[in-house]
């Protein structure tokens, strides 16, 4: 749930006292750590899920326009961070969702469900470990059983852990990162596509790190590059059949992934050319765009909500 402070923010300014608000240059995140996979309920300040910036850097509630009326979305990692915000903005736009997360994140998942229901849509919960192919198959079957169809597949779950040098990167971490970040994207797309029809979409969450080659997240960065290439190849397979496949490559975003996996030093430098990290809501708006017909002629592409870092491709 957003904090009382967040809810009370006016549309003209979001900071309190001298401190910059979440959407103002100079906003920094506190340095603290959580156990993997991290819990949004235990973060402070709370990441923003349904509030977006005003032109002046204040905050306002996202304004929906019925862009996803009646659509059904399968969202991995939907309990928290970017995935939670996607489920909430999708609900505001009229879509039901089926969210997947790890069992230890049940509290966060319940909160996402509550927020989606507040916007009048359904949210089905499914706790499972996506590193297993069988679990991915069961996810698609359960989502189809609950919702009747899957119009939007959002591949969003991921794992990362910082290692400064390839010599210190454990081989089993390399395998775990690939098993979490790219193999389920393949399995979920493979099992969902036979049930998709013209107008349905797949959106994969990549990362700025695929483009800047972040050295201290080598395994994660490699999976994110694979996701961009997977998006392009799959788009070329399906674009002629009216199913669009796109990716989003966020820069630094305030989510549980950060305190659960980043070092003190990395958290102190957690910013962008805009002078602040992004909030989940600023990434979720890209997913709304790519899921709706507003992006009807876009496929195989990657959007870059990253606070102004120029990347190629
Ligand atoms: N936060 C950032 O700065 C940032 C930047 C670029 C890209 N991203 C991407 O955004 C996406 C969402 O991450 P987030 O930052 O919102 O963090 P998050 O921790 O809120 O979400 C990640 C989710 O992945 C899910 N997950 C991890 N391992 C899983 C497994 N084995 N089985 C099932 N679910 C599993 C968990 O439910 C977890 O909540 C990820 O793909 C991440 O790489 C994040």
């Amino acid at each position: 749930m957003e904090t009382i402070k967040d809810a009370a923010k006016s549309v003209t300014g979001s900071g309190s006292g001298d401190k910059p608000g979440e959407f103002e240059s100079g906003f920094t995140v506190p340095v603290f750590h959580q156990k993997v996979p991290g819990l949004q309920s235990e973060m402070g300040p709370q990441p923003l899920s349904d509030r977006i910036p005003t032109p002046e850097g204040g905050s306002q509630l996202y304004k929906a326009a019925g862009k996803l009326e009646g659509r059904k979305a399968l969202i991995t990692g939907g309990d928290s961070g970017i995935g939670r915000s996607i489920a909430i903005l999708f609900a505001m736009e009229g879509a039901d969702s089926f969210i997947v997360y790890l069992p230890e994140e049940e509290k966060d998942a319940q909160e996402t469900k509550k927020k989606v229901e507040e916007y009048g849509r359904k949210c089905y919960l499914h706790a499972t470990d996506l590193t297993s192919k069988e679990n991915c198959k069961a996810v698609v079957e359960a989502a189809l059983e609950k919702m009747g169809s899957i119009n939007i597949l959002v591949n969003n779950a991921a794992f990362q852990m910082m290692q400064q040098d390839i010599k210190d990167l454990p081989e089993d971490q390399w395998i775990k990162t690939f098993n979490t970040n790219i193999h389920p994207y393949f399995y979920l797309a493979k099992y969902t596509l036979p049930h998709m029809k013209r107008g349905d979409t797949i959106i994969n969450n990549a990362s700025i790190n695929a483009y800047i080659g972040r050295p201290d997240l080598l395994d994660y960065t490699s999976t994110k590059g694979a996701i961009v290439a997977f998006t392009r190849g799959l788009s070329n397979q399906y674009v002629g059949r009216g199913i669009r496949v796109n990716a989003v490559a966020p820069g630094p975003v305030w989510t549980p992934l950060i305190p659960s996996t980043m070092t003190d030093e990395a958290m102190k430098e957690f910013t962008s050319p805009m002078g602040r990290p992004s909030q989940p809501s600023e990434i979720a708006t890209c997913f709304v765009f790519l899921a709706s017909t507003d992006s009807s002629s876009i496929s195989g592409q990657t959007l870059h909500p990253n606070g102004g870092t120029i990347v190629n491709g």
Side-chain angles (χ1 to χ4, degrees):
M1 201 167 101
E2 313 294 61
T3 60
I4 293 164
K5 177 178 149 249
D6 293 331
K9 278 173 194 160
S10 77
V11 293
T12 51
S14 59
S16 65
D18 295 336
K19 276 184 146 179
E22 287 89 342
F23 297 125
E24 289 173 318
S25 179
F27 175 80
T28 53
V29 301
V31 176
F32 65 93
H33 298 285
Q34 294 188 328
K35 258 181 33 204
V36 176
L39 271 185
Q40 186 153 331
S41 60
E42 291 170 13
M43 285 174 77
Q46 277 286 294
L48 302 184
S49 305
D50 59 3
R51 300 189 73 79
I52 56 165
T54 63
E56 299 79 20
S59 100
Q60 61 184 330
L61 194 64
Y62 173 79
K63 290 180 189 139
K67 289 177 190 289
L68 301 175
E69 211 57 66
R71 310 293 279 169
K72 317 281 180 195
L74 165 53
I75 305 170
T76 66
D79 59 302
S80 61
I82 298 166
R84 172 187 289 183
S85 184
I86 294 168
I88 293 171
L89 296 200
F90 277 17
M92 293 170 92
E93 293 287 2
D96 293 338
S97 61
F98 182 100
I99 66 169
V100 186
Y101 53 91
L102 289 166
E104 54 267 44
E105 300 170 307
E106 186 63 34
K107 189 174 176 199
D108 277 357
Q110 291 290 347
E111 182 60 28
T112 302
K113 179 177 162 75
K114 196 173 131 218
K115 293 289 285 183
V116 166
E117 288 173 352
E118 275 170 26
Y119 289 112
R121 305 308 312 187
K122 292 201 171 69
C123 181
Y124 302 98
L125 305 186
H126 190 99
T128 196
D129 183 346
L130 288 166
T131 59
S132 133
K133 170 175 97 167
E134 288 72 27
N135 289 351
C136 291
K137 195 170 259 179
V139 160
V140 174
E141 283 165 5
L144 287 169
E145 193 203 316
K146 292 287 183 200
M147 299 193 294
S149 60
I150 301 169
N151 306 117
I152 309 159
L153 168 61
V154 174
N155 277 317
N156 169 70
F159 167 77
Q160 68 174 29
M161 192 51 66
M162 300 191 90
Q163 305 289 353
Q164 303 302 324
D165 194 303
I166 191 169
K167 297 197 298 292
D168 307 320
L169 175 52
E171 287 152 19
D172 54 359
Q173 179 180 316
W174 176 269
I175 301 291
K176 176 181 172 169
T177 307
F178 273 74
N179 282 343
T180 309
N181 296 9
I182 177 69
H183 298 155
Y185 283 36
F186 161 69
Y187 290 125
L188 292 172
K190 180 177 166 68
Y191 302 141
T192 300
L193 271 162
H195 305 279
M196 284 185 144
K197 56 182 190 331
R198 183 166 287 275
D200 293 344
T201 59
I202 297 178
I203 313 168
N204 300 316
N205 209 343
S207 166
I208 189 175
N209 294 337
Y211 293 84
I212 63 171
R214 187 162 175 142
D216 49 11
L217 288 168
L218 185 62
D219 46 342
Y220 174 86
T221 295
S222 306
T223 63
K224 294 302 183 176
I227 289 165
V228 172
F230 174 68
T231 300
R232 291 174 171 170
L234 191 60
S235 171
N236 280 335
Q237 279 189 11
Y238 274 84
V239 70
R241 289 176 247 184
I243 296 172
R244 298 180 299 111
V245 185
N246 287 292
V248 177
V253 191
W254 183 229
T255 71
L257 194 66
I258 305 314
S260 64
T261 67
M262 291 196 123
T263 60
D264 283 13
E265 210 43 54
M267 288 186 75
K268 282 180 199 149
E269 292 165 0
F270 198 67
T271 189
S272 73
M274 288 187 184
R276 62 175 180 86
S278 301
Q279 292 294 323
S281 55
E282 297 177 283
I283 314 304
T285 50
C286 294
F287 283 80
V288 170
F289 173 66
L290 291 174
S292 79
T293 52
D294 283 358
S295 59
S296 56
S297 79
I298 298 179
S299 192
Q301 312 298 327
T302 303
L303 298 185
H304 297 279
N306 64 24
T309 300
I310 311 293
V311 294
N312 298 315

